[in-house]
Amino acid sequence: MAHAVSSAARLEEAVAAVRARTDACPRVALVLGSGLGSFADTLEGATRIPYEDIPGMPVSGVAGHAGRLVIGRAEGVPCVAMQGRVHLYEGHDPGDVVFGLRLMMRLGAKVLVVTNAAGGANPALEPGDLMLIEDHLNMTGRTPLLGPNDEALGPRFPDMSEAYDPGLRRLARKVAGELGIPLRGGVYAGLLGPSYETPAEIRMLQRLGADAVGMSTVLETIAARHAGARVLGISCITNKGAGLSAQLLDHAEVQEVADRVRDRFVALLRGVLAALAKE
Ligand code: HPA
């Protein structure tokens, strides 16, 4: 029980640190994955808070994952963005992985837009494709909800049958169509990492129904659903899964493809936010 109490107390301290700098009440929370971090720089009227200045907020050591919370507006929508996230593979506890997410919910966000870079397990997916996450497989063996439930955060047994909100998926598809941005759809499998998968693991994941595979997002979605937020997830497919192409996998290539797709990804994100502004 001590653990649950202390994590709630930690969260309140973090909220107070943010509240000391801004009284903004964001509607939409954004978790910006590889290549998309710079979107947070474009938020208008922004308050930027380095993670180091937020008590309890874990800090990432991975290159290319800047760490700060940015609170501002995009397309007229009050937003809060995590510019950089921490991953399980860095050794963080599941509760730490979703700490920023819970903070954003506590600041008032009711919608989570979560993005990531992912490998394609479905051979039809090509590097550079954007994929709407329709559902997920949590293959990490972990959950941020382990231990005593903090009723202040959400229910003991949250429903996950519509983890990725059907209404938001329809909205994203409509926006993508209007903008002429091709948008695939599929199931995202979240693994621990940090090694990329073996070809046998990719074949296993295909049989389990995975279309894309990555090392993030599933815990954040669980925590967001626990908090009652609606979730929209979009993956940038940066590479074919191991064994599906002659090319070996490396982080630099993942980053490079994510950077190349950025403009299209940002256009889709802006379109979604503009549509949410009218909701
Ligand atoms: N596997 C897991 N995570 C990833 C991949 C991949 O192929 N590409 C980008 N993130």
Side-chain angles (χ1 to χ4, degrees):
M1 195 51 99
H3 183 71
V5 169
S6 73
S7 74
R10 261 175 69 199
L11 200 56
E12 291 319 303
E13 254 193 86
V15 170
V18 174
R19 284 286 169 244
R21 301 211 195 182
T22 175
D23 57 6
C25 185
R27 240 185 94 199
V28 176
L30 303 158
V31 178
L32 302 169
S34 304
L36 266 195
S38 61
F39 179 70
D41 295 329
T42 70
L43 294 189
E44 296 145 29
T47 302
R48 300 184 171 84
I49 312 177
Y51 290 162
E52 289 89 347
D53 294 353
I54 304 173
M57 187 80 176
V59 177
S60 171
V62 183
H65 294 264
R68 54 186 185 169
L69 199 69
V70 184
I71 301 156
R73 297 175 84 86
E75 305 298 319
V77 182
C79 294
V80 53
M82 282 177 67
Q83 198 172 29
R85 54 148 75 95
V86 298
H87 299 82
L88 282 172
Y89 61 73
E90 295 173 76
H92 297 285
D93 289 335
D96 285 341
V97 170
V98 302
F99 188 84
L101 194 282
R102 284 178 167 155
L103 173 58
M104 295 195 292
M105 302 288 113
R106 274 287 287 109
L107 294 173
K110 299 283 187 287
V111 170
L112 167 66
V113 179
V114 59
T115 67
N116 57 50
N122 182 335
L125 290 173
E126 297 291 337
D129 281 349
L130 293 176
M131 188 194 89
L132 189 60
I133 303 178
E134 291 167 341
D135 206 344
H136 80 211
L137 295 165
N138 176 8
M139 306 291 286
T140 66
R142 311 286 182 86
T143 169
L145 307 184
L146 193 69
N149 185 55
D150 184 345
E151 293 289 331
L153 295 181
R156 172 74 288 187
F157 301 109
D159 178 65
M160 289 294 284
S161 47
E162 293 186 337
Y164 298 87
D165 189 74
L168 290 179
R169 280 190 270 148
R170 270 194 301 277
L171 182 138
R173 285 200 182 285
K174 183 162 174 280
V175 167
E178 285 165 3
L179 295 174
I181 297 172
L183 185 60
R184 317 293 303 259
V187 173
Y188 174 92
L191 279 70
L192 260 184
S195 48
Y196 291 115
E197 300 68 37
T198 63
E201 285 165 345
I202 291 293
R203 290 193 298 275
M204 172 188 76
L205 291 165
Q206 288 172 342
R207 285 178 187 147
L208 293 178
D211 296 289
V213 52
M215 305 173 194
S216 66
T217 302
V218 292
L219 299 190
E220 290 145 333
T221 295
I222 290 169
R225 293 303 298 141
H226 185 233
R230 292 185 292 155
V231 180
L232 177 68
I234 306 172
S235 292
C236 169
I237 305 300
T238 52
N239 55 277
K240 284 182 160 292
L244 298 179
S245 88
Q247 222 166 332
L248 302 185
L249 300 187
D250 92 298
H251 184 59
E253 187 209 335
V254 165
Q255 206 103 45
E256 195 183 296
V257 175
D259 288 342
R260 179 156 60 74
V261 176
R262 179 171 49 221
D263 289 354
R264 216 172 347 127
F265 210 156
V266 166
L268 178 60
L269 208 52
R270 286 198 175 282
V272 166
L273 290 168
L276 282 175
K278 294 187 208 132
E279 234 187 19

